[in-house]
Amino acid sequence: MNRYNIFYQVHKGLRALLFETGSFLLRTDFTNEEQFAEVNEKINEVQHLFDKHAHTEDGLILPAIESYEPSVVDAFENEHKQDLALSVRLKNVIAALADADNEYDRAELGKSLNVLFFEFTAFNLAHMAKEETILNKLLWRYHNDDELKQMTRQIINDIHPDDTVKYNKWMLRGLNNSEIIGWLKNVKNGAPDFTFRCLMKQCGEEMEEQRWSQVQEQLSEGVLLA
């Protein structure tokens, strides 16, 4: 039986965020103030979205199994603390870069930032994989799919609209066409029309023209846009 995976879609988006940010970071010349400003903005977005994601898990997902598996919950909460510590170290290096007053220091701090960001990336990739294996199995053991989908709806309702746009952007970059079509159909059938129209608009803005045309064509064939 193919069970509902509460992590699947958002984790694909978060992985896309890490990979694209990491690729940009590798190309950054930290002696160039404009490039540093751009990478600073990108890493701030990474930290913000991962922090919000961890907060959601601590507040809504882990409590769903806490009474059954308290030791597992403790282990994942401790990993979230480790993740926060890595995030703080990133902020410290970025602050040092902003204060650096010569090209040598900026270049050396840039190297340190690269190493630390990929440590952050490796940690979160491993952490998300654990959630998709260990946590999913426990969620499936103690909750049915309707309960998990209701949990997803609560998570979505609790996200600030500005953050919703950011998460959507990265999910659109991480999902394949079939997954995006399924997502749009679910929103069309289960959310207010305004929400669906906003997501369609963002699809048009974020997706490459050829890819968006392919998605629209398949949607039209499915009479979704009628």
Side-chain angles (χ1 to χ4, degrees):
M1 180 180 178
N2 189 23
R3 293 295 306 273
Y4 176 70
N5 186 337
I6 197 170
F7 299 108
Y8 184 79
Q9 184 166 314
V10 67
H11 278 187
K12 288 198 81 172
L14 290 172
R15 288 185 177 104
L17 170 59
L18 288 173
F19 297 148
E20 288 197 27
T21 304
S23 180
F24 185 87
L25 187 61
L26 290 172
R27 300 191 303 271
T28 298
D29 176 0
F30 288 92
T31 65
N32 181 300
E33 291 188 7
E34 289 184 1
Q35 289 188 34
F36 167 61
E38 190 170 355
V39 81
N40 184 20
E41 182 179 341
K42 289 180 181 295
I43 290 179
N44 282 339
E45 183 174 18
V46 170
Q47 292 174 311
H48 176 74
L49 293 183
F50 271 87
D51 180 65
K52 293 293 183 183
H53 183 61
H55 180 74
T56 293
E57 291 172 345
D58 287 339
L60 291 173
I61 294 177
L62 294 180
I65 63 168
E66 187 168 19
S67 61
Y68 307 105
E69 307 283 350
S71 62
V72 174
V73 170
D74 286 344
F76 276 94
E77 287 179 342
N78 285 332
E79 288 206 3
H80 287 164
K81 291 175 183 177
Q82 295 175 51
D83 193 32
L84 179 60
L86 284 170
S87 185
V88 170
R89 288 170 60 195
L90 278 172
K91 289 180 181 178
N92 290 339
V93 175
I94 289 171
L97 266 163
D99 291 338
D101 59 3
N102 63 79
E103 291 189 355
Y104 176 81
D105 286 346
R106 292 194 192 102
E108 290 303 304
L109 286 165
K111 293 175 185 177
S112 297
L113 184 61
N114 265 281
V115 170
L116 186 53
F117 181 80
F118 287 107
E119 184 180 347
F120 178 91
T121 297
F123 179 89
N124 276 286
L125 290 176
H127 179 72
M128 287 189 285
K130 289 179 186 178
E131 290 175 335
E132 292 170 6
T133 53
I134 298 170
L135 281 188
N136 259 339
K137 288 179 181 178
L138 295 176
L139 289 168
W140 295 336
R141 179 184 301 171
Y142 300 116
H143 298 277
N144 61 45
D145 283 0
D146 287 340
E147 291 171 331
L148 296 178
K149 289 176 183 179
Q150 177 56 38
M151 196 182 302
T152 296
R153 287 191 286 271
Q154 184 176 351
I155 290 169
I156 292 170
N157 289 336
D158 288 348
I159 297 175
H160 190 280
D162 291 342
D163 289 337
T164 296
V165 171
K166 293 175 183 177
Y167 281 115
N168 286 352
K169 174 180 73 175
W170 291 107
M171 288 189 290
L172 287 169
R173 295 184 184 187
L175 296 170
N176 62 42
N177 286 6
S178 295
E179 291 165 342
I180 290 173
I181 290 169
W183 179 18
L184 287 167
K185 288 180 178 178
N186 286 334
V187 173
K188 173 71 171 178
N189 295 329
D193 184 61
F194 173 77
T195 302
F196 174 71
R197 286 188 282 108
C198 286
L199 181 56
M200 287 287 289
K201 181 176 183 293
Q202 191 172 4
C203 286
E205 294 169 348
E206 294 292 343
M207 297 176 70
E208 301 89 343
E209 184 176 352
Q210 181 179 8
R211 189 175 178 218
W212 178 225
S213 295
Q214 292 171 347
V215 169
Q216 286 180 296
E217 182 178 347
Q218 292 181 62
L219 289 172
S220 297
E221 290 174 356
V223 202
L224 179 61
L225 302 183

